[in-house]
Amino acid sequence: MIRTADRLHTVEEYYFSKKLREVRGLMAEGRPVINMGIGSPDLMPSAEIVSTIQNAVLEDGAHQYQSYQGLPALREAFADFYQSKFGVTADPISEILPLMGSKEGIMHISMAFLNPGDEVLIPNPGYPTYSSVTKLVGAVPKYYGLKEEHGWFPDIDAIEEGDLEKVKIMWVNYPHMPTGANVSKSELEKLVSFAKRNDILLVNDNPYSFVLNEEPTSILSVQNAKEVALELNSLSKTFNMAGWRVGMVLGNKDHINAVLKVKSNMDSGMFYGIQKGAIEALGSSQTWYNDLNEVYRKRRDLIYKLADRLNCTYDTNAVGMFVWAKLPSDSVSSEEFIDKILYDKNIFLVPGTVFGSNGEGFIRFSLCVPEEKIQEAIDRF
């Protein structure tokens, strides 16, 4: 019998992989399940983006291997995008690396900077991949709590009172998933100062920058942040290109080269047509953002009504493509709550515990559901 690697014992199958299999089973039985769990955009990219990739497949060299660093025009488009949207200057030659989705970047960064036994500061609640990748590379998760009463922002003083000698990386994620909490420039400055004091690589995972968010922010907008910080971003949510797998990581030359050393040993470049489509997307007009957010705003208003039906509370100042709702004080656990709704009402929601122990007492609704389906869910109650 061939044994699997020991590292597989450190992680479990991704929650959504298991739960969606259960949901598909219910649908196969004929149940009319409405999936409000996954943040996979159901809307189309713009017609211009789709046309660009269609035309690109006929260009000379389109089907050959591409550069590990992406097309120069794509890196320049990323640089222009960050300058215009965040006021951040990045050298397209040395400070920007295109990725096949920002999730890929979590693994690449971890492999580039972590040795077995190194510790990693991970938000609770937070994106589960930070933990699983940390374990897969042999490092040790060190969770820092985020709480509603603190605006889902870390207590820097409390973290600094602990032993940080082995900490190599700190993951942050603003706008925050799953809570939708935003962050101010002064809070970003606190994070950068903390990282500098403690020689920690600070990585901000920033894919929800523009969804229902009127004040997009970047960790790299903080003065001299590149000394200690990297930022991941993605075209998945902003441009409805989740399946295309296009993201980027930005930072100083040395950090980017370290990530490139890993990436260049793991893939053979991004498909030419997708890169051309990404360039088109990054040049989208303000009308694109306005129209997209209008769709999400209408959906969110309906989700609020659904949350009201469930006697949940929520923060109307939160941003992003989810609604993070607090269960009534006398409620059963988050997982029991969502399972009851799944089997009684054929509606799939996500329990807050998927994102960590501090998610207990909360559930998450996705906005990637058409208005008529949300209304149907409301009507089921």
Side-chain angles (χ1 to χ4, degrees):
M1 180 178 178
I2 298 177
R3 297 175 57 188
T4 58
D6 291 343
R7 68 175 61 89
L8 288 188
H9 301 308
T10 68
V11 296
E12 297 180 355
E13 184 182 3
Y14 194 44
Y15 171 84
F16 289 110
S17 174
K18 292 188 296 184
K19 199 66 179 179
L20 288 177
R21 191 159 56 242
E22 180 182 345
V23 170
R24 286 194 297 270
L26 293 175
M27 295 175 73
E29 295 172 4
R31 285 175 173 254
V33 177
I34 298 174
N35 185 347
M36 293 185 165
I38 306 301
S40 178
D42 61 310
L43 301 169
M44 285 282 289
S46 72
E48 293 79 8
I49 295 171
V50 174
S51 175
T52 297
I53 189 174
Q54 289 173 328
N55 294 331
V57 300
L58 300 176
E59 294 184 27
D60 290 340
H63 305 284
Q64 297 176 338
Y65 288 123
Q66 299 298 314
S67 165
Y68 299 108
Q69 295 173 281
L71 295 170
L74 177 57
R75 298 197 306 274
E76 290 166 6
F78 282 140
D80 292 343
F81 180 78
Y82 254 72
Q83 182 64 61
S84 65
K85 301 300 182 185
F86 300 110
V88 169
T89 300
D91 183 351
I93 296 175
S94 62
E95 295 186 324
I96 297 173
L97 180 63
L99 301 170
M100 294 178 197
S102 58
K103 188 174 184 179
E104 177 191 64
I106 298 170
M107 175 61 83
H108 290 347
I109 292 168
S110 298
M111 293 184 73
F113 291 97
L114 295 173
N115 291 314
D118 284 342
E119 294 182 346
V120 180
L121 289 170
I122 295 172
N124 174 14
Y127 186 33
T129 298
Y130 306 143
S131 295
S132 57
V133 167
T134 296
K135 294 173 184 176
L136 284 170
V137 300
V140 181
K142 191 180 180 76
Y143 299 100
Y144 62 89
L146 302 179
K147 296 183 179 180
E148 182 181 27
E149 56 266 33
H150 295 148
W152 306 104
F153 187 78
D155 184 337
I156 299 296
D157 293 337
I159 295 173
E160 215 151 15
E161 288 174 2
D163 181 5
L164 299 176
E165 184 178 352
K166 293 183 179 180
V167 173
K168 195 81 169 285
I169 289 176
M170 179 180 188
W171 289 100
V172 294
N173 164 219
Y174 291 103
H176 185 248
M177 197 289 297
T179 69
N182 217 340
V183 68
S184 66
K185 182 71 173 287
S186 62
E187 287 173 323
L188 290 176
E189 289 170 348
K190 288 180 183 177
L191 289 169
V192 171
S193 296
F194 165 79
K196 287 183 177 181
R197 287 194 303 272
N198 295 282
D199 296 321
I200 293 171
L201 178 64
L202 181 67
V203 188
N204 185 41
D205 189 13
N206 194 12
Y208 299 96
S209 322
F210 300 97
V211 180
L212 294 174
N213 182 19
E214 296 180 4
E215 297 181 4
T217 55
S218 165
I219 196 81
L220 300 180
S221 66
V222 175
Q223 187 173 8
N224 299 321
K226 287 180 189 174
E227 295 173 9
V228 293
L230 289 170
E231 180 154 286
L232 290 167
N233 214 316
S234 167
L235 275 64
S236 295
K237 320 298 183 183
T238 306
F239 300 107
N240 300 330
M241 294 165 64
W244 293 45
R245 310 311 305 139
V246 185
M248 71 206 90
V249 58
L250 297 89
N252 72 40
K253 179 180 179 180
D254 292 338
H255 292 158
I256 293 298
N257 280 340
V259 178
L260 176 60
K261 190 176 290 186
V262 173
K263 177 178 170 56
S264 62
N265 280 286
M266 294 185 70
D267 67 55
S268 298
M270 188 187 305
F271 177 54
Y272 176 84
I274 286 178
Q275 294 188 67
K276 296 290 281 188
I279 293 168
E280 179 69 29
L282 291 164
S284 298
S285 71
Q286 187 60 41
T287 301
W288 166 261
Y289 301 90
N290 295 342
D291 291 348
L292 183 68
N293 281 321
E294 183 58 28
V295 172
Y296 282 133
R297 192 170 290 109
K298 291 177 180 178
R299 293 179 177 187
R300 186 175 62 181
D301 288 343
L302 285 172
I303 290 288
Y304 287 162
K305 291 182 180 180
L306 178 56
D308 290 340
R309 291 283 176 96
L310 299 175
N311 295 317
C312 294
T313 55
Y314 41 86
D315 179 7
T316 56
N317 293 317
V319 303
M321 58 168 42
F322 304 102
V323 171
W324 180 249
K326 189 173 185 177
L327 297 175
S329 58
D330 59 349
S331 175
V332 296
S333 72
S334 297
E335 293 190 16
E336 289 178 87
F337 189 92
I338 71 105
D339 275 343
K340 180 173 176 58
I341 289 176
L342 175 59
Y343 283 90
D344 288 357
K345 302 295 184 181
N346 295 309
I347 298 169
F348 173 48
L349 304 173
V350 177
T353 47
V354 169
F355 309 103
S357 59
N358 283 1
E360 181 55 82
F362 294 86
I363 58 175
R364 193 191 74 173
F365 300 82
S366 170
L367 300 184
C368 300
V369 186
E371 288 180 53
E372 60 270 21
K373 284 294 181 182
I374 304 174
Q375 186 60 57
E376 182 181 339
I378 294 170
D379 293 342
R380 292 182 186 182
F381 291 91

